[in-house]
Amino acid sequence: MTDPGPPRVFVYGTLLPGERNAHVAARGFTARPATLRGFTLHHLHPEGYPALSPGPADAAVRGAVLTYEPPVWEAALPGLDDLEGLHETPPLYTRQLASLQVDGGEELTAWVYVYARADRLNAPGASMVPSGDWRDVPDRDQPGADGR
């Protein structure tokens, strides 16, 4: 793998510890609560998963930053990319670096998956999550037809 970047990923939905796809994140990481600013969180229905999109500077999304040891990160990253549809045509999400704040104030750079199909966010069944916290979505444990 060439330059995998920092061995960290900000998760905000089904990959959060305790959520239905947490197993995809593998093992061997530490999870810390964190906030990503400048992004908006959406719930997609009937897909049953969240979508993160650029938003106003004062928008905030709550989640967790998962920090891995480098060899574990290299093993976990392909599974994360697959779940997020990074290599689909067109891609479902893109992976980009973003600055975030860990609870307690520390600033970190981590990978984040940003929803790549912006037109879907304006279609029926896409609703903004006002709190910016996926755990506030009542039917979040219901996967969509694609099993994500």
Side-chain angles (χ1 to χ4, degrees):
M1 176 180 290
T2 59
D3 188 23
R8 290 184 289 275
V9 62
F10 176 76
V11 295
Y12 51 85
T14 68
L15 287 166
L16 283 163
E19 295 296 325
R20 71 174 183 264
N21 286 322
H23 64 280
V24 175
R27 301 187 196 291
F29 59 80
T30 56
R32 296 190 295 169
T35 301
L36 177 66
R37 300 206 182 280
F39 287 85
T40 303
L41 187 65
H42 305 266
H43 172 67
L44 302 180
H45 183 76
E47 293 93 327
Y49 49 78
L52 184 79
S53 66
D58 62 346
V61 175
R62 292 287 298 153
V65 62
L66 309 182
T67 302
Y68 294 80
E69 290 297 320
V72 178
W73 172 242
E74 289 180 22
L77 187 57
L80 294 168
D81 285 352
D82 285 347
L83 177 72
E84 302 296 357
L86 213 69
H87 306 296
E88 292 178 14
T89 305
L92 189 58
Y93 291 82
T94 61
R95 180 169 34 92
Q96 64 186 50
L97 288 171
S99 179
L100 54 93
Q101 187 172 36
V102 177
D103 287 11
E106 182 182 4
E107 295 277 335
L108 289 176
T109 298
W111 292 106
V112 63
Y113 290 94
V114 178
Y115 195 65
R117 299 178 184 173
D119 56 326
R120 172 64 184 97
L121 299 178
N122 297 316
S127 58
M128 190 166 62
V129 178
S131 69
D133 193 328
W134 175 248
R135 293 161 288 206
D136 291 339
V137 174
D139 62 346
R140 71 182 189 277
D141 60 342
Q142 303 299 313
D146 65 2
R148 285 193 167 97

